Each structure stands twice: as structure tokens, then as C-alpha cells.
Amino acid sequence: MDQPPDRDRAEAQRRVEELRTQIRHHDYRYHVLDEPEIADAEYDELLRELKRLEERFPELITPDSPSQRVGGRPSELFAPAPHLTPMLSLDNAFSREELDAWGKRIERGIGNEVDFVCELKIDGLAVSLLYERGFFTRGATRGDGRVGEDITANLRTLKQIPHRLAGTDHPDRLEIRGEVYLPVSVFDKLNRELGERGDRPFANPRNAAAGSLRQKDSAVTASRALALWIYGTGTHGRRLERHTEELAALRAAGLPVNQVIERAGSLDDVWAYCEKWQRQRHDVDYQIDGVVIKVDRFALRDELGATSKAPRWALAFKFPPEERTSTVQQIAVNTGRTGKVTPFAVLDPVFVGGARVTYATLHNDHEVHRKDVRVGDTVIVRRAGDVIPEVVGPVLEKRPAGTPVWEFPTHCPSCSTALVRKEDEADWRCPNKAGCPSQSVEWLFYFASPGAMDINHLGYETGKALLRRGWVRDPADVYFLTAERLAELPGFKEKSIQNLLGAIAAAKNRPIWRLLVGLNIRRVGEHVAQLLARRFPAIDALAAASLDDLQAIAGIGPEIAAGVQAWFSDPENLALIGKLRRAGLRMRDDESAQKPAGPQPLAGKTIVITGTMKQLSREEATGAAEAAGARVTSSVSKRTDFVVVGESPGTKHEKAVALGVEIVDEAEFLRRLRR
Ligand code: IVH
């Protein structure tokens, strides 16, 4: 085989590194900050480009490459629920060519006598339901594919999940896999109601489903009319030969199995199904983002096997994001809770991606100019089944002559303060943190949101009214509100006043990580806040932490550490903490709240990790060990209980040998984590 020239390899290496940096950045925006910057389809494209390059230059693959990961980490809100059989993900195809290439690999593996099954790819949340001797005993999210979150109580509220399976002779343990979703009609209704109450609507049905399922209070889940499609099993105790037979058996047992599943004898038939459902995707009352193609016979599936990430016997054909054209009526900007000023296009309403779109993000100044979008332009608007509709770019042939270039405003649209931009940043910011109405209302709304202090009944409109009257200037003021004041707000009667005051009182005793999220410290989202609070369960200790202390926390890099320290050095912020303390807020977690939810198999152990692992990045290995109760140190001594040795270990390995410290490999390490 021809070797690619070194020049290509050098270029590929550069691009691979660039892509990894970008993907990690977007993972962080999505999973940690919950503020994605790009559409899912664009993210997929980055990941695909990385995988293509890694396929061509396998020597560039590193264990910590984003391509080697199965999924996100489980959060700490729910108890960990280890899956009996891992929940893998699916490889994607975006074209007929990629579908054919997959078909060829199947043929090479098992010949051409293959029956396929085509199913809709439901855009919801993967769940695993454990039935023991026919009784529903545990329900879990996918988590990282190996350990999910225990959401049994919430799943029990779904009417479609039988507490007991119909029929007899059920296996000891049966793991059922499916996708929970919010019907589009229910989503539209829910968003209308949220809008009427002045609360911010959900971005799409999947987010609404996720928000509804990952609730601490299952009564909220119960009120949301979630639905479910079952598409297979994990651990099963099966005696059937085909997936289609298994689906029929699951249906007979009382589980909801989709009806539009079709068998296909050839890739032409598969393609016809893909094209048909791409056209008809809005004809069903749930969002679909593609088609899943599976080999029907279990024996053939076993022959094909799986990689650590995905089975070889299944493939997801992903629909391209939908695009439409519209006209830009106006380009406006909005100041968010962190002061970041985001430009967006106001469009002639257009129906795209299953929703009516009037606003589309333009991300930042740099993007508006890179795309050269101007007021009056005909533009292509794209909305994958995901968060924010965006302007892809203008149709230049349709640009009216003399259309001027759009200029980013120099002043904040909300408070008229001159905007600032740091040299190395893309975003303009409003520096008027305390006096900018837009930042205040966004911050208040965020502080009260379910991901932070979770103050029920404090919606967007109420927040605005309180700020407008000057009764609330920062979130601490909320805790000093009185019934007399609230009675002056339009629409507030005795019941609603008591509801809001009750919710505010309840939100005095939240865990520290929630308060940290609510404080609106840049780069401190749910995940980072949990890491900080686990190490510093008292606000005062965190405020006094040195840069070194902060950076020593696994998962906290220099930028976050510096940001946190700077935040706690600002007298205005310290004054806010003082005010929250006076309001009676909990300022430290008690012992029981500090303990991670799961068992701690490595409690009391001091360990060292060295070399490169196959399944975990260094950060993940350290995080997992700490979550299991271990103290992870950087140098080997006689007090070290054991050293985990990956590939190409350095001198730490030698030192461990010299000192007679126990050495374990990655597989053994993973076993010890699970014990
Ligand atoms: S089969 C071994 N079938 O797509 C993987 N998955 O990355 C088996 N999904 O979140 C998955 N509809 O929950 C399968 N008809 C379907 C599906 C489906 C949606 C989701 C799945 C996972 C993602 C796969």
C-alpha cells in the first residue's frame, strides 16, 4: 500500500490537533457550561473529520482523542447505575456512499445474505430499563455508556413503562433499551405555557425531555407527558433468532415498540426507507434525526461484533440539517448574563427543522463578518434538531445593490455602556456588571433556574418586574422580599405570593455547588461547581483557596482556577456573599452532602497513575479514582498503595518497582474502581 507522504502526515497531525482542541472546547461548552456555540451537525462534522484523518493516519490516534470516547460523564445528581451490558453508541453515515461502504464491510465480514432492519432514529434520551423476573426494578440514563444515572423514580411515572411485564417465563434479568422523548405537540403546548407564565421556553423537545427526566422531584416528570419507544435489549437471556422477533416479543410483553420498522433485503431498500423518512420526518409527533439500520439475525451480529464504541452490525444514517432561505429584517444584539454581547438576525418567519424560526444566532462579531451577513440579505437558515437556529450565510446573487456592511454596535443595547473586547477574545462584552438591566435579569433568571438554586415560580417576567421596581438588584435581594412587596406585582394573589416565598425559603438550603453555579462565575457550570464544592465544601474555604489549591483539583485547569480566584478577590462579589450569608443561606455542605453518592471501593488508598491508558484520559482516570475515594498523588513513595501503569510509563514505574510498591495495569484498575 502507498504510504502517504510525510508532508501530508505533518499537515494531518496539525489538523488533528486543531480539531481535538476545537472538539474539547465544544464538549466543554455543551456538557459543562450548557452553552453550546455550534449546531450539533457542525459538531458531528468536526468529529467526522477527525475520525477520517485518524483512519488515514492511525499512528496519530491517542487514547485521549475525543474520537475514542463513548459518551458524556454521569453527573452526581443521581446515584450511579452500572449497566449490565454497556450502552454503546452508533457509527454515523451521512450519504449513500457511506451507507454502501458500511454494507461492503458487512459483506466482507459475513457474506451478502443479510437481512437488515430499518428503524427511525428517535431524537430523545437513551434509557435502560431493568426488569427482574418480569418486574421493573431500575431505570437509568446512558451516562458514559458503562455507568448511568439512577432515574427509577422518574421513569416509574411514565405510563408506557409497565411495572410488570405481561406473560410468564421472564428471564432473571432483562435490560430493555429505548429512547424517551417529548411528543412535539406536548412540547409546543409546554412552551406556550412557559411563555405565558413569563418563563423561558425550552430550545427543543429533546432538551425539554432531558430537563423533565432529570428532575429531583418526580412529580414534575409526571406532569410532562413523556413518551418512549423501545428499540432493543442489553442483557437479555434470549432464545430468539432475530431482532424483529425480539421486538415482537417486547411488544407482546406490553412495551411500546414503534410500528414503522421495516425489514430490508438490500441496501437499495434501506436507502429507499432513508429517503422516504427524510421527506416525511415531520409527519410523526416525535423528532427523528435519522434512520438506524441493523442486521436482523443475532448470530450474524455476534460474528460482526463491536468496537469499544459502537457495534459493527448497526449504523445511524443521519439526516442533513434542514435549511431554508429567509430575509434579514434586522441584525440586533443581546447582552447575556455574563456580559457577553451576542448578535442575532431577525428574520421573516420561516418554518425549518420542525419549528417556526424568527431569530437566528450569528454567534459573534467575527462570525458576522466572516459570513458577511447584512440587513436585507437573503440568507440560508439552518436548524438541525438542536438548540439554536443559525444563519449559514447570505445568497450573494440576491443582495440588493448598495447594501452596507453591518457594524457591531459600540455600546450595550440595554445600558448604553461602551462595549469592550479583550485582544485574544472573539466576544464583545458589556463591562457594566452591576448596572446593566439585561445582565441583571439574565443573571437572576439563571440564579433561579433548575440547574442552579432552583427557585420555583421565579420566572423571567417576575424577575424583570422586581428589577424594574428596584426591589432586587442582585440575586441576594430575592431573599429579602416580603409578602407586602409581592402583593404590588400585577397578577400576584395570596396563593402565588405564598408559593414564591415558600420557594425562596426552600432555596436557602441548597448544596454549595448550586450556589456556585448561581453566582455566575465565568466557566463555572454544573460540573466544575461540583468539583470545586467536593474539594472545598465551605464557601469561605473556597474563597481563601490559593491558585495552586484550585489547580490541584482534577478537572480544573489554570484558566478556571484563575477565574475563580479573581472572582473571590473582587470586593463586590465578597459583598454579595456577605449579603447571601445575612439572608440565611447555607454556606457549607454538611458531611453527608459531601460524600459522593456511590460506593467508595478505593477509600483510604493513595495511588499514582502513570503512562497512557486505552480507555480513559489521565483526567478521567484521576477523576474516577477520586470519586472512588482514592487520593491521587504525583510521586511514588513507600506510602503509595499501588501504581496504575499504562502504556509507555516513565520513571514512576521504575521507582515503584524499586520500592516494591504494587503495580496494576489498566484492566485491573478498572476492576478495582467497580468493586
Ligand atoms: S440502537 C448499540 N435504535 O441513538 C447501540 N438507537 O448513538 C444500539 N436511538 O442514544 C442503539 N433511536 O438511544 C437504536 N431505533 C433506534 C434508536 C436509537 C434512537 C439513539 C440511542 C442512542 C443513539 C445512538
Side-chain angles (χ1 to χ4, degrees), residues 88-90 119-122 126 178-179 231 292 294 311 313:
L88 299 181
S89 51
L90 292 170
E119 299 174 5
L120 300 181
K121 185 168 186 304
I122 318 295
E179 196 90 351
Y231 55 68
V292 184
K294 303 174 180 175
W313 46 261

Side-chain angles (χ1 to χ4, degrees), residues 115-137:
D115 291 332
F116 297 107
V117 182
C118 300
E119 299 174 5
L120 300 181
K121 185 168 186 304
I122 318 295
D123 193 11
L125 264 98
V127 292
S128 184
L129 312 175
L130 181 65
Y131 280 86
E132 293 180 278
R133 293 169 191 260
F135 287 90
F136 177 50
T137 53

Side-chain angles (χ1 to χ4, degrees), residues 462-497:
T462 305
K464 263 201 217 163
L466 293 169
L467 285 157
R468 211 178 302 123
R469 285 168 175 74
W471 297 339
V472 168
R473 290 177 200 279
D474 60 45
D477 290 329
V478 166
Y479 293 96
F480 295 96
L481 285 170
T482 58
E484 292 72 46
R485 288 234 145 137
L486 292 180
E488 288 181 39
L489 295 183
F492 268 75
K493 301 261 156 30
E494 202 178 316
K495 178 115 191 297
S496 41
I497 293 171

